[in-house]
Amino acid sequence: MLTRRELFTAAAALGLCHVGHRRAYAQVYPGKPIKLIVPYSAGSPNDVLARLVAPYLSARLREAVVVETRPGGGTTIGARAVMLAEPDGHTLLFTNTPTHAIAPLIGKGGAFDPLNDFAAVGPIASSFLVMVVAPNVPASTMAELVSHAKAHPGTLNFGFGQGTFPQLVGEAFKLETATEIASIPYKGGAQAITDVLGGRIQLNFGTLATLLPLIRAGKLKPLAVTAAVRASELPEVPTMLECGLPNLTTATFYGLMAAAGTAPAIVERLNREINPSLASPELAASMAKLGFQPTGGTPQEFASLIAEHMRKWAPIVNAVAFQLE
């Protein structure tokens, strides 16, 4: 019969073997190309950002990183593909915090737990939204828009891609201002912008990369940004806080997630390679042109951001009948 000392020594040896196995696993990872699933349509801001980051991550991992778009179900289809994948770090999800947080509440691609069904890898970038109106809307400030909307209830239309962050912020805006504005869903945000330009809808929330050229061309009027401070590209446009709507001060954080059960050593390796990539001046410049700001951070920080957005946006989803076709 083994003594307590012998049992302790054996247990310690097993522990060391286990640690050694995890380290070896991390050293051989990746063993094949990595699939980076984007749960949005091709050409969307999420897709473009993922394709910017992929080559840098590929160079550091010395393995191909292939971006694959899997839209549908309010991003649940792509998310579940990662959730159900082998937890070996070779299938990753490129997502953003608000959409990932509320997708299970509104999507039709199947349920998942935004945190427990995934292993957060880390944040990559952040962005904010710009609120714009069509040129024919008789308002050049937020106060004028709210006043006009209240004086003419039901006459303004707000367009958005279903299940997206702009939809969340737009519905929150209507609740905060107690305005009666019709919600017009589209399969994608680009279609909504087209209809604003065509005069069929009047309001839209979108990314700086998408809307800035149209603003500069005088085709859209910017009323506010959701950033905490004024955007350097639009210094004359106030923040939501300045407009008296502090609850609409918000940002989107983009990042990577793996399937739950992925070895911590692999998650650590991925995070360790992502952060130096974001320090690249070339990558930062490319992101800036599209309205993204490199962030970087730990897996724990990205998980906390998702949890925060779950708390922030779930009440909005519950207050509004979010539905997908």
Side-chain angles (χ1 to χ4, degrees):
M1 183 174 181
L2 293 175
T3 65
R4 289 184 62 188
R5 183 187 182 100
E6 289 170 330
L7 286 170
F8 179 81
T9 302
L14 285 173
L16 288 174
C17 287
H18 180 64
V19 171
H21 174 71
R22 286 174 56 189
R23 287 176 178 169
Y25 195 18
Q27 287 172 357
V28 300
Y29 173 83
K32 59 183 179 180
I34 296 170
K35 186 183 297 183
L36 192 58
I37 292 182
V38 179
Y40 295 87
S41 58
S44 65
N46 293 266
D47 178 47
V48 173
L49 180 57
R51 294 180 191 278
L52 279 180
V53 173
Y56 290 86
L57 184 57
S58 176
R60 293 194 62 87
L61 290 172
R62 298 184 179 181
E63 186 59 83
V65 177
V66 182
V67 177
E68 178 181 319
T69 55
R70 289 202 194 178
T75 73
T76 57
I77 291 176
R80 282 181 57 84
V82 175
M83 180 190 79
L84 298 173
E86 186 72 22
D88 58 5
H90 290 97
T91 304
L92 304 175
L93 178 68
F94 189 94
T95 189
N96 66 65
T97 49
T99 304
H100 186 72
I102 59 98
L105 300 177
I106 64 174
K108 288 189 175 181
F112 62 80
D113 186 305
L115 288 175
N116 294 327
D117 286 336
F118 299 87
V121 174
I124 288 176
S126 66
S127 69
F128 57 87
L129 297 180
V130 185
M131 181 183 186
V132 294
V133 294
N136 61 350
V137 174
S140 297
T141 66
M142 183 67 74
E144 290 175 353
L145 175 67
V146 173
S147 177
H148 176 77
K150 289 185 174 181
H152 304 84
T155 60
L156 296 179
N157 297 324
F158 156 56
F160 51 83
Q162 286 186 317
T164 62
F165 190 39
Q167 180 183 10
L168 275 175
V169 178
E171 297 294 352
F173 168 76
K174 290 161 57 177
L175 292 173
E176 286 285 317
T177 57
T179 49
E180 187 179 328
I181 299 172
S183 297
I184 310 297
Y186 291 81
K187 290 185 177 180
Q191 296 170 306
I193 294 172
T194 298
D195 275 6
V196 177
L197 296 173
R200 288 174 285 277
I201 59 176
Q202 293 76 44
L203 279 75
N204 184 256
F205 284 86
T207 63
L208 186 67
T210 302
L211 298 179
L212 186 59
L214 300 172
I215 293 171
R216 287 177 171 169
K219 296 181 178 180
L220 295 173
K221 291 190 292 186
L223 298 189
V225 296
T226 66
V229 297
R230 293 196 180 197
S232 58
E233 298 86 351
L234 295 170
E236 74 286 357
V237 179
T239 65
M240 287 291 183
L241 177 61
E242 292 175 291
C243 293
L245 299 168
N247 290 335
L248 298 185
T249 299
T250 186
T252 304
F253 291 89
Y254 305 80
L256 294 181
M257 304 196 85
T262 300
I266 290 179
V267 172
E268 180 185 333
R269 171 80 192 282
L270 284 166
N271 183 266
R272 192 168 67 243
E273 303 300 356
I274 289 170
N275 287 320
S277 299
L278 298 174
S280 163
E282 293 80 13
L283 180 56
S286 297
M287 284 188 179
K289 290 179 182 178
L290 297 172
F292 297 110
Q293 176 69 40
T295 54
T298 67
Q300 294 75 20
E301 287 170 336
F302 193 47
S304 294
L305 287 167
I306 293 172
E308 177 185 337
H309 279 225
M310 290 171 69
R311 291 190 296 270
K312 181 180 179 69
W313 297 113
I316 303 299
V317 174
N318 292 331
V320 179
F322 272 68
Q323 294 183 351
L324 297 179
E325 295 296 334

